[in-house]
Structures are given as structure tokens and as C-alpha cells.
Amino acid sequence: MKIARREDLTWMISIASVNLADVHSMHGKTRLALDYLRKARKVMKETGDLEGLSAVDFNMALVQIDKGNLSLAENISRVKIVPSHLRKKTS
């Protein structure tokens, strides 16, 4: 992660964060896993990485399943992402 920060490779940090979240989740550290996933989601949203957002949301749902929050996991997995160029104009 230090190399990624030095090179300003935000996508690398977000991918590493997803992987770290997976490791922490496997060890029962769900709060830490969700923290990493939130950080990754923020970067992927800022960069417009829809595939990455989908992977993060999927992993967030898995963590919620591990915590026993099945309804929250279902809500996370049903979130629809609409690219900005396809959204309705409100004005």
C-alpha cells in the first residue's frame, strides 16, 4: 500500500482494500472489513469504476451475511448503480 500511495495509484489502493477486507472478514473482523470496503467503494465511485463498485457491494453483502444481517445483505445486493450520463435530469 505504501508503493501505491507513493505512485498515486488510487485504483491499486482500492483493490488492495477489497483484498484486505476479505482477509479480515475471514478472521471474524467484520467491522474492519467493512471499513476497508467503504474506503474502496469511495475510490471506485469517484473514479467511475462500476465493475469495482459491483464487487465491493457483493463483498459488503457477504460480510453482512457473516454477521447474520440477511435483510441488510439483501438490500445491499439489490442496489442499482446508474451511470451519471443515464440519470434523469432534475432541472
Side-chain angles (χ1 to χ4, degrees):
M1 300 259 302
K2 288 180 182 179
I3 293 171
R5 283 193 185 98
R6 187 175 64 230
E7 298 296 325
D8 193 33
L9 299 174
T10 54
W11 62 271
M12 187 182 288
I13 293 171
S14 63
I15 291 170
S17 294
V18 172
N19 291 330
L20 286 169
D22 191 34
V23 170
H24 288 298
S25 182
M26 288 188 300
H27 292 311
K29 299 177 181 179
T30 55
R31 178 175 282 180
L32 192 53
L34 289 170
D35 287 344
Y36 276 109
L37 289 169
R38 285 185 197 103
K39 289 175 188 176
R41 192 175 203 296
K42 181 181 177 192
V43 170
M44 291 178 182
K45 189 172 184 177
E46 289 171 357
T47 60
D49 182 355
L50 296 180
E51 184 178 349
L53 281 169
S54 176
V56 168
D57 287 346
F58 176 77
N59 282 289
M60 282 183 153
L62 290 178
V63 171
Q64 293 301 335
I65 289 169
D66 288 344
K67 290 177 67 175
N69 297 331
L70 300 181
S71 62
L72 183 55
E74 185 177 16
N75 286 339
I76 291 169
S77 66
R78 290 177 187 244
V79 171
K80 302 290 186 249
I81 301 168
V82 179
S84 59
H85 70 280
L86 295 177
R87 291 185 197 140
K88 282 185 172 181
K89 303 281 188 211
T90 56
S91 51

